[in-house]
Amino acid sequence: MAKMLSRVAPWLASHRDGAAPDGVTVRTLGAADTAGLHELAGADPVANVFILSHLESTGTAAPTPGGANVLGVFDGDSLVGACWAGANLVPVQLAPALTGAVAAAAHRSGRRYASIFGPAPTVLALHSELENLGHLAHEVRADQPLMTIAGPPAVEPNWQLGFGQDADFDTILPACAAMFEEEVGYSPYLGGRDFYSRRVAGLIRQGHSLVHLNDGEVVFKAELGAVTSDVTQVQGVWMNPSYRGLGLSAGYMAAVVLLAQKMAPITSLYVNDYNSRARATYERVGFRQVGTFATVLF
């Protein structure tokens, strides 16, 4: 890595065309690269839970049937960084100095990306490179504390929370859509209902949907959006507006932690820095910040 960084430094000030530093190349990874990608991502199993979850579920770094792939950055024969390129861009142990070459490769694919998310320095550098190539962001969330808990929660769990069932899909889906619209500012159905509906149904089927239902409505829900044997990442936390302000969130989040720990010892999430109420709840439950993510929405 020191050898690679010594090559990168002279290139930082002048690059603007996506060219990689001498000896560094970018290519789409294949099945033969699976072990190398797993080793690379394993350097930070919390930050890289997304790609590690993908590797555990599919067993390969090869492109998916739907056309998503992983761009690998090589210094000679050594894999020194990577980036998932599907509906979203997700960097994996990617130095900010190498984002120009990745952005160029992502741009050449002609794909439209919904977001970039991951460690803040790399995400913001990748956004800058893509912006130079004409990919204009709708919103940049530059400071999102990445938080984890590895032991018992500090508050009593609310055991009205449980795993969503297939029979509950028609009740859970509207709550998931409401959360999405609150979070990103537009409906998840803009491109049609099928993709998002399949995503929600898949989370329920996998046992990654956590919900409290009362008289046919969702009171609270969350999902385990990425799961490995070491780490889960909580996403989609949502409280029905009728139940907000009643001090219920901490108990539900404590139950989320305990249910997630049935799958992996570390529970993680990331949250917008300006969401002080949510941050206070997570800290009360026992989550502590271990890093900073950023998300760019296109």
Side-chain angles (χ1 to χ4, degrees):
M1 180 63 77
K3 180 181 178 184
M4 185 272 291
L5 290 176
S6 70
R7 291 173 174 169
V8 171
W11 165 73
L12 287 176
S14 60
H15 94 286
R16 281 296 179 269
D17 60 359
D22 291 344
V24 173
T25 58
V26 177
R27 66 167 172 81
T28 299
L29 299 186
D33 301 301
T34 302
L37 179 60
H38 197 282
E39 181 179 3
L40 179 77
D44 191 338
V46 172
N48 298 320
V49 64
F50 174 87
I51 193 65
L52 288 168
S53 176
H54 172 74
L55 290 176
E56 286 195 14
S57 64
T58 66
T60 182
T64 71
N69 58 60
V70 181
L71 300 171
V73 182
F74 290 84
D75 183 18
D77 294 330
S78 299
L79 181 65
V80 295
C83 186
W84 169 266
N88 309 294
L89 291 170
V90 186
V92 180
Q93 298 300 109
L94 181 65
L98 296 177
T99 55
V102 171
H107 176 70
R108 285 195 298 271
S109 75
R111 183 187 296 269
R112 294 176 63 87
Y113 303 100
S115 73
I116 317 169
F117 63 87
T122 298
V123 166
L124 297 176
L126 187 54
H127 164 238
S128 178
E129 298 288 352
L130 286 167
E131 189 174 44
N132 290 336
L133 295 169
H135 298 256
L136 302 182
H138 166 69
E139 184 178 355
V140 178
R141 300 176 180 181
D143 185 357
Q144 297 177 307
L146 175 64
M147 309 178 79
T148 64
I149 180 172
V155 300
E156 287 295 316
N158 183 339
W159 284 122
Q160 293 175 295
L161 188 77
F163 292 105
Q165 304 299 314
D166 289 341
D168 303 323
F169 170 77
D170 288 338
T171 303
I172 294 172
L173 179 62
C176 291
M179 178 283 306
F180 186 99
E181 191 159 354
E182 284 184 25
E183 179 67 17
V184 302
Y186 58 85
S187 169
Y189 302 142
L190 280 181
R193 295 176 63 96
D194 286 351
F195 177 81
Y196 190 73
S197 297
R198 287 197 304 271
R199 168 67 173 163
V200 172
L203 289 166
I204 296 172
R205 186 172 56 252
Q206 293 164 350
H208 296 169
S209 170
L210 310 176
V211 63
H212 172 207
L213 299 177
N214 182 44
D215 291 333
E217 67 175 356
V218 173
V219 178
F220 175 93
K221 68 97 187 167
E223 288 83 44
L224 304 179
V227 176
T228 72
S229 56
D230 298 311
V231 182
T232 60
Q233 185 179 89
V234 180
Q235 300 174 357
V237 177
W238 184 82
M239 179 77 75
N240 187 316
S242 299
Y243 295 88
R244 294 175 187 175
L246 302 178
L248 301 176
S249 295
Y252 283 122
M253 284 305 302
V256 167
V257 169
L258 291 172
L259 291 171
Q261 287 176 346
K262 293 178 180 290
M263 304 177 197
I266 299 173
T267 309
S268 71
L269 55 80
Y270 58 100
V271 58
N272 294 315
D273 66 311
Y274 53 77
N275 194 343
S276 56
R277 180 173 294 181
R279 291 179 63 183
T281 295
Y282 300 147
E283 289 170 359
R284 182 182 169 201
V285 171
F287 284 88
R288 296 294 178 262
Q289 185 171 354
V290 296
T292 303
F293 266 24
T295 299
V296 176
L297 301 172
F298 291 104

